[in-house]
Amino acid sequence: MKFWKFSATGNDFVLFHIEKSEQKESILPHISKICSRKTGVGADGILFLEESKDYDFKMKYFNADGSVGEMCGNGGRAISFFAHHILALKSDGFYQFSTDHSVYEARVDKEVVKLKMTEIRDCDSIDLSSFSGFSKSFYVDTGVPHALFEVSELDAFPVHEKGKEIRMSSLFSKGANVNFFEVMKNQYLRMRTFERGVEGETLSCGTGVTALAVAAAKIYGFQEQVFIETRGGNLEVHFDQDFQDVWLSGPVDLVYTAELSKHFYG
């Protein structure tokens, strides 16, 4: 089974081009094994590109632990890069694709992919003030639920320990990604993320970066765009006043192409 390994600002994925349904069915039981960094390929998640009657393609995403992911922003950027640069589905670099929950638009320009984030809801709908030690907090769902907390000295903050504790809170019916951030200057922030489904810190999170942009606009009055530094690279979010036109932008890298041995998943 041929696969492609992608990195989108440090968020890494194994991507399979599914042309027959039995291909996906043969992979599904082995997702956590494939994503293992010691005994498998190693990845934050698995992307499946499937055919679509209504759009350019359909994206299915699975977390590293094998659970279904509702959405993945960096994954959406990586799969759009693949559709354009590997499959060459269209010449103009403009793509529309579906997930199980929404429809997304992407614009591919060389290694930079911009993704229109169409699922932004429940802004500040959960009160996070019960978590002590944070100067500001915010909750928003950007296709994936996110809890955001402002901290000082982000590099030294115990992201794994605190993230795991908060992620398991009964406040979140399906769990949540937990993001810790600091404001460096106007329109520029830094962020680290404890990601559910990976159950650890990832180097970047596209839906989390989008969530932070929304939070920064609400809390600090930032307008039009924010720049967010993650441990895996820098991302930009451009947005309008009512968050109906929100774009996540950043680079994507194809790391390598290989084949998964049949004895590994067969």
Side-chain angles (χ1 to χ4, degrees), residues 75-257:
R77 295 193 310 104
I79 204 169
S80 299
F81 182 104
F82 174 79
H84 188 66
H85 290 296
I86 308 301
L87 297 185
L89 293 184
K90 299 171 72 175
S91 60
D92 60 5
F94 178 79
Y95 292 88
Q96 285 189 316
F97 66 90
S98 64
T99 67
D100 285 341
H101 303 283
S102 189
V103 175
Y104 286 81
E105 298 177 11
R107 296 172 182 170
V108 184
D109 182 13
K110 297 181 180 179
E111 78 280 0
V112 174
V113 182
K114 299 179 180 179
L115 184 68
K116 186 174 183 179
M117 303 298 287
T118 55
E119 298 179 89
I120 298 175
R121 52 184 174 256
D122 300 332
C123 294
D124 216 19
S125 62
I126 296 179
D127 184 1
L128 303 178
S129 61
S130 59
F131 300 108
S132 60
F134 302 104
S135 57
K136 292 181 177 62
S137 60
F138 197 84
Y139 174 87
V140 61
D141 190 318
T142 52
V144 176
H146 282 274
L148 301 110
F149 301 89
E150 184 175 12
V151 301
S152 58
E153 299 184 5
L154 181 65
D155 289 333
F157 190 80
V159 168
H160 185 87
E161 292 78 7
K162 292 300 293 184
K164 183 177 181 179
E165 174 189 333
I166 295 170
R167 175 256 187 277
M168 301 301 294
S169 170
S170 59
L171 283 176
F172 315 115
S173 60
K174 297 181 180 180
N177 285 9
V178 186
N179 309 271
F180 304 98
F181 70 92
E182 61 180 345
V183 180
M184 306 305 293
K185 56 185 178 181
N186 189 34
Q187 311 291 122
Y188 186 89
L189 307 97
R190 299 175 67 226
M191 185 185 84
R192 295 172 63 186
T193 300
F194 181 94
E195 196 163 337
R196 66 170 193 173
V198 177
E199 303 310 324
E201 183 177 2
T202 55
L203 294 181
S204 181
C205 177
T207 55
V209 164
T210 305
L212 180 54
V214 173
K218 295 283 189 179
I219 296 172
Y220 303 106
F222 291 175
Q223 297 180 5
E224 296 185 357
Q225 64 180 351
V226 296
F227 302 90
I228 298 175
E229 176 188 330
T230 71
R231 286 196 154 182
N234 297 328
L235 290 159
E236 300 178 23
V237 183
H238 300 258
F239 52 91
D240 59 358
Q241 189 171 9
D242 57 1
F243 306 111
Q244 296 301 303
D245 193 38
V246 180
W247 291 84
L248 171 69
S249 177
V252 173
D253 294 304
L254 173 61
V255 181
Y256 61 83
T257 302

